[in-house]
Amino acid sequence: MGLGGILILLLLLVSLIAFIYVLVITARGWGVLHSILLTFLFIECWVFIIFSAGVHYRRVRATEEAHKNRLAAEAALEQTEKLLWGDFGVSPDALDAVIPVQGLLRRVTADRGRVWRQASLLQASPGSYDLQLSAADVANPNADAIAEDAAAAAPVTPQAVSSESLPVNTVVYGFAEEVNAEGKPIPVYYLGEFAVTQSQNGQVTLQPTLQLYADQQQRIATGSASTWTLYELLPLDAHEPFAAPGSQPTEEETFGHMDGETIQSLFANVPADNDRQQKLVDSYMRDGQQANDNDPPAKVWVLVNVLKEFEIDVDSKEVANATERGYFDTLGRSIDTRLKRGEDGMVKLTPELKGNLIVLNEQYAAPLIANGTLQLVKRVYVRPLNDYEEAFGRHVVRDHEVSQSIELFKRDSQEIEAANQLGQEMISFREKENKDLRDDLVNYQKEV
């Protein structure tokens, strides 16, 4: 028993003695009935006091516990808010929370479409390639990766696999995979554009839509492309993927610090004649850095501060899917519903954004700088992005033109060589004829 209980018992004992003393003294005047009622009243008062003390004790403990739980709940909410949205006091662009990372993931995968990874090459024949899709991608082609334990816990049975995993007549873009240091398959080499001609039980047959290059055919034939990554949409070029991991944009490096080692390795096979390789590497390394006076206007953007409030219309009235018409109209406004801002499509820029990295096309920003709406901070070199789908198509056409030119050159060379040989024969014949004529002239002179 605690000290409080001992004090209560002592108080009860003292009050009981005092009550008995008062009851004995007043019993003669009150009578038996009043004495009994007074005794019941004394007992009821103490019972009430004891119950009240118990209720108060429980209430105090409950109040303390509720206060602690409220503080813990507030701390948990604050922690949850921080985990979801990050610490805005550090940097609004820091990718240390769920929402910013999810937003970045959506932006990265918005133009990618479905992806099938680790498709094993079963058989390769001219104009036809059989692949076995992985069980995870057959079940969910939209997922980047599925944990091995989850796949083992819920394996995909042949009955669950259907042609819907990669439907017939779908056009996909194939890349050869390599396993990186972390054991993850990474697409490293473009194998070409293919159409699905057969799809059943997770096994698909692909047929090239365009003739494959000799290097692509060699990689497939030699087994360098044993596993493939298939993209529904050809990946787009961007600035950020070539930045070093963890690099953040700054005023000096608008897109982050470029990863020189990776860029050098990517273009190691580019011919070095006429400084082609070095010029290509420099264009990637300078991306987002200070522009110089020799840079063409198409490659120069401007970093600005907002001095006066103004609005930009970023949504086009047109609506289309990326597989139909692309992402933007001729003015750069989004037509893909996934990229539209919504509502009226207006983005308001205010002077409170001063210090943020706002990079605009120089041609668009020049009038706003002239009228004092924007303040020029620096001119930035921006590498023009490549349209790989158009580039590959243009390369195929150019390769066909070069092949035809080579054939014409060979034919012309053969004709020139034949004509040259005929000329040599004619020269030899004329030389012999000339020698005979000289001999005849000598004989004739002797006769004369």
Side-chain angles (χ1 to χ4, degrees), residues 237-295:
D237 191 9
H239 304 281
E240 291 77 7
F242 297 96
S247 176
Q248 294 294 328
T250 62
E251 284 194 9
E252 291 73 23
E253 298 173 320
T254 306
F255 304 115
H257 179 68
M258 293 294 128
D259 191 347
E261 184 178 351
T262 300
I263 293 173
Q264 289 281 359
S265 64
L266 288 174
F267 302 113
N269 296 327
V270 176
D273 55 320
N274 298 325
D275 293 332
R276 289 174 57 190
Q277 184 186 69
Q278 190 59 42
K279 290 179 181 178
L280 186 60
V281 171
D282 290 343
S283 67
Y284 279 79
M285 291 298 298
R286 290 187 56 215
D287 197 12
Q289 297 184 4
Q290 177 80 39
N292 56 46
D293 297 334
N294 298 326
D295 292 326

Side-chain angles (χ1 to χ4, degrees), residues 233 319-327 335-338:
L233 296 175
V319 178
N321 189 279
T323 57
E324 299 172 357
R325 285 197 46 202
Y327 302 94
I335 61 176
D336 192 329
T337 54
R338 296 170 299 177

Side-chain angles (χ1 to χ4, degrees), residues 70-344:
R70 184 169 64 84
L71 294 179
E74 291 176 354
L77 287 175
E78 183 179 355
Q79 182 68 14
T80 302
E81 198 80 7
K82 185 175 181 180
L83 292 174
L84 284 175
W85 299 98
D87 188 357
F88 292 100
V90 177
S91 171
D93 300 324
L95 299 177
D96 56 354
V98 174
I99 300 299
V101 172
Q102 286 180 341
L104 177 62
L105 179 62
R106 282 194 296 269
R107 290 194 295 274
V108 170
T109 58
D111 51 15
R112 190 195 64 184
R114 292 177 295 177
V115 179
W116 296 265
R117 300 189 185 277
Q118 292 185 288
S120 302
L121 180 63
L122 301 178
Q123 183 178 357
S125 57
S128 179
Y129 303 94
D130 296 334
L131 288 88
Q132 177 66 50
L133 303 180
S134 66
D137 287 330
V138 168
N140 184 10
N142 292 311
D144 262 347
I146 297 180
E148 293 182 2
D149 55 349
V156 178
T157 61
Q159 291 78 9
V161 178
S162 67
S163 60
E164 294 301 322
S165 59
L166 185 51
V168 175
N169 297 328
T170 302
V171 176
V172 293
Y173 301 90
F175 289 81
E177 292 179 341
E178 284 186 4
V179 179
N180 63 3
E182 300 177 356
K184 297 180 180 179
I186 304 297
V188 294
Y189 185 81
Y190 180 61
L191 297 175
E193 180 182 296
F194 302 87
V196 181
T197 58
Q198 295 183 18
S199 179
Q200 186 176 8
N201 295 333
Q203 183 173 328
V204 296
T205 301
L206 305 182
Q207 181 178 353
T209 58
L210 300 170
Q211 185 177 359
L212 301 184
Y213 309 138
D215 191 33
Q216 293 172 331
Q217 296 176 359
Q218 182 181 4
R219 284 179 178 264
I220 297 175
T222 58
S224 300
S226 58
T227 60
W228 294 22
T229 294
L230 302 178
Y231 286 88
E232 186 178 25
L233 296 175
L234 193 65
L236 298 180
D237 191 9
H239 304 281
E240 291 77 7
F242 297 96
S247 176
Q248 294 294 328
T250 62
E251 284 194 9
E252 291 73 23
E253 298 173 320
T254 306
F255 304 115
H257 179 68
M258 293 294 128
D259 191 347
E261 184 178 351
T262 300
I263 293 173
Q264 289 281 359
S265 64
L266 288 174
F267 302 113
N269 296 327
V270 176
D273 55 320
N274 298 325
D275 293 332
R276 289 174 57 190
Q277 184 186 69
Q278 190 59 42
K279 290 179 181 178
L280 186 60
V281 171
D282 290 343
S283 67
Y284 279 79
M285 291 298 298
R286 290 187 56 215
D287 197 12
Q289 297 184 4
Q290 177 80 39
N292 56 46
D293 297 334
N294 298 326
D295 292 326
K299 298 182 180 180
V300 176
W301 289 44
V302 289
L303 178 65
V304 297
N305 282 328
V306 181
L307 300 180
K308 299 178 183 178
E309 181 178 308
F310 74 103
E311 292 184 339
I312 302 177
D313 186 9
V314 298
D315 286 349
S316 174
K317 302 300 181 184
E318 305 175 48
V319 178
N321 189 279
T323 57
E324 299 172 357
R325 285 197 46 202
Y327 302 94
F328 307 99
D329 62 10
T330 55
L331 299 178
R333 297 174 301 183
S334 57
I335 61 176
D336 192 329
T337 54
R338 296 170 299 177
L339 301 179
K340 285 183 176 292
R341 182 176 180 84
E343 299 178 356
D344 55 357

